[in-house]
Amino acid sequence: MSLEWLVAWSWSLDGLRDCIATGIQSVRDCDTTAVVSVACLLVLFVWYCYHVGREQPRPYVSVNSLMQAADANGLQNGYVYCQSPECVRCAHNEGLNQKLYHNLQEYAKRYSWSGMGRIHKGIREQGRYLNSRPSIQKPEVFFLPDLPTTPYFSRDAQKHDVELLERNFQTILCEFETLYKAFSNCSLPQGWKMNSTPSGEWFTYYLVNQGVCVPRNCRKCPRTYRLLGSLRTCIGNNVFGNACISVLSPGTVITEHYGPTNIRIRCHLGLKTPNGCELVVGGEPQCWAEGRCLLFDDSFLHTAFHEGSAEDGPRVVFMVDLWHPNVAAAERQALDFIFAPGR
């Protein structure tokens, strides 16, 4: 038995030696440049996998998860006050562009540079864009170049979402009327925010404020909140996204101002639109209509006023921010990352 085992082992060694010799000869027969190239690619691939694996990617934040996180942090009174000195939505300093570029590099490193040309161009020359813009359109935080520019957009710009909002007009109106009854009991009910105006009163009730859901308010408007999840172009994951009920009392004038960016369209669904109410964007006046959506670019200089009498009651709109139709899907994903709440 031992002799047979030794003979078999000897044959195995001979076979292994022949296999190694054949492999060496095959390498010698190959083109040296090709072998070196393949080896370099393998080394780069291993390095990339190690480098990416060490990082902990920041996950995209859904409206629902934001709502749960906000609830845990105890947000109250229907409004999220920014307390971070590094917030890109509120920071107006020389370091903002560097911060944005750092965020873009981080996104591209984790995902891709593909489709980032306009964003890269916009961040690189942001100071020039913001300072050299004509006074009619001056977004305060971020300007994306090469987007079609117009104060108002047609309903077809975001047809699906416009039609969905208009079909749910009565639902949103009913939830507003339930909320508004609380004004008869106190001056400013919980969840409402009073905004500064030169005259009159302007109240807002936020469901989403700067990309963060307001849980207490959403629970009081469950059907309206669920409707936001059905909108295809609602901005819900970055600081430029808002959804709220906006109320102007008779005699109110909102000071002319610019929005923070041109990447969005602001949509107003008219809930109560008495006579004497007007929106002026880029010097062009428009009137709201009940059950109809009005789309405009709030990076243009704009104002609104209610010149009606007390008997006319307030002007009420449901406001939601939608993506500009010419911002591509890859750009939307990157902007959600760059301008994520708290980044």
Side-chain angles (χ1 to χ4, degrees), residues 46-320:
V46 171
W47 175 85
Y48 174 80
C49 292
Y50 169 76
H51 187 69
V52 172
R54 289 180 60 196
E55 297 181 344
Q56 297 297 323
R58 180 189 181 98
Y60 283 108
V61 188
S62 68
V63 171
N64 287 332
S65 62
L66 280 171
M67 181 176 178
Q68 294 168 1
D71 207 9
N73 291 331
L75 296 175
Q76 298 178 351
N77 298 325
Y79 193 72
V80 182
Y81 291 94
C82 176
Q83 299 178 359
S84 171
E86 298 182 353
C87 171
V88 295
R89 170 64 179 84
C90 304
H92 297 277
N93 54 63
E94 295 180 357
L96 177 59
N97 289 353
Q98 287 83 353
K99 184 175 180 65
L100 296 182
Y101 191 70
H102 171 77
N103 290 350
L104 174 61
Q105 285 184 313
E106 186 178 352
Y107 172 85
K109 180 171 60 176
R110 295 178 180 181
Y111 302 100
S112 172
W113 277 104
S114 177
M116 297 299 104
R118 282 197 301 191
I119 296 178
H120 181 266
K121 177 182 177 182
I123 292 176
R124 189 181 67 241
E125 303 184 34
Q126 197 63 203
R128 180 175 67 83
Y129 284 131
L130 296 183
N131 294 329
S132 64
R133 295 296 303 167
S135 59
I136 194 173
Q137 184 193 27
K138 278 194 173 183
E140 296 182 337
V141 178
F142 179 71
F143 178 79
L144 186 64
D146 305 324
L147 282 183
T149 298
T150 180
Y152 294 97
F153 284 80
S154 71
R155 295 161 46 81
D156 291 337
Q158 297 297 3
K159 185 176 180 180
H160 172 272
D161 289 353
V162 165
E163 292 179 347
L164 185 60
L165 286 166
E166 292 179 349
R167 285 199 303 270
N168 287 272
F169 160 68
Q170 286 295 339
T171 297
I172 301 171
L173 177 62
C174 287
E175 291 194 330
F176 158 72
E177 289 177 337
T178 301
L179 287 173
Y180 200 65
K181 290 177 182 177
F183 273 89
S184 61
N185 301 323
C186 60
S187 57
L188 188 63
Q190 188 177 54
W192 289 88
K193 175 183 177 291
M194 179 178 285
N195 302 280
S196 177
T197 58
S199 63
E201 295 177 328
W202 174 23
F203 303 100
T204 45
Y205 189 87
Y206 279 90
L207 302 184
V208 178
N209 182 26
Q210 294 187 17
V212 179
C213 284
V214 185
R216 189 188 303 271
N217 291 359
C218 290
R219 283 193 288 267
K220 292 182 179 179
C221 300
R223 291 179 293 176
T224 302
Y225 170 69
R226 284 196 296 270
L227 178 63
L228 292 177
S230 300
L231 300 177
R232 293 177 180 173
T233 61
C234 176
I235 301 178
N237 292 334
N238 72 53
V239 295
F240 300 129
N242 302 275
C244 73
I245 296 171
S246 175
V247 178
L248 294 186
S249 63
T252 300
V253 176
I254 297 177
T255 304
E256 287 186 325
H257 62 286
Y258 302 98
T261 183
N262 66 327
I263 67 171
R264 72 186 186 190
I265 296 177
R266 179 147 284 186
C267 175
H268 281 184
L269 172 65
L271 300 181
K272 290 183 177 293
T273 58
N275 294 328
C277 299
E278 203 167 88
L279 172 69
V280 182
V281 182
E284 299 180 20
Q286 289 276 359
C287 294
W288 296 277
E290 293 182 3
R292 302 283 288 181
C293 287
L294 183 60
L295 307 180
F296 64 99
D297 182 344
D298 73 324
S299 67
F300 282 80
L301 186 66
H302 63 284
T303 181
F305 54 84
H306 183 352
E307 294 181 334
S309 64
E311 291 74 21
D312 293 327
R315 182 240 58 179
V316 185
V317 299
F318 178 63
M319 185 199 81
V320 60

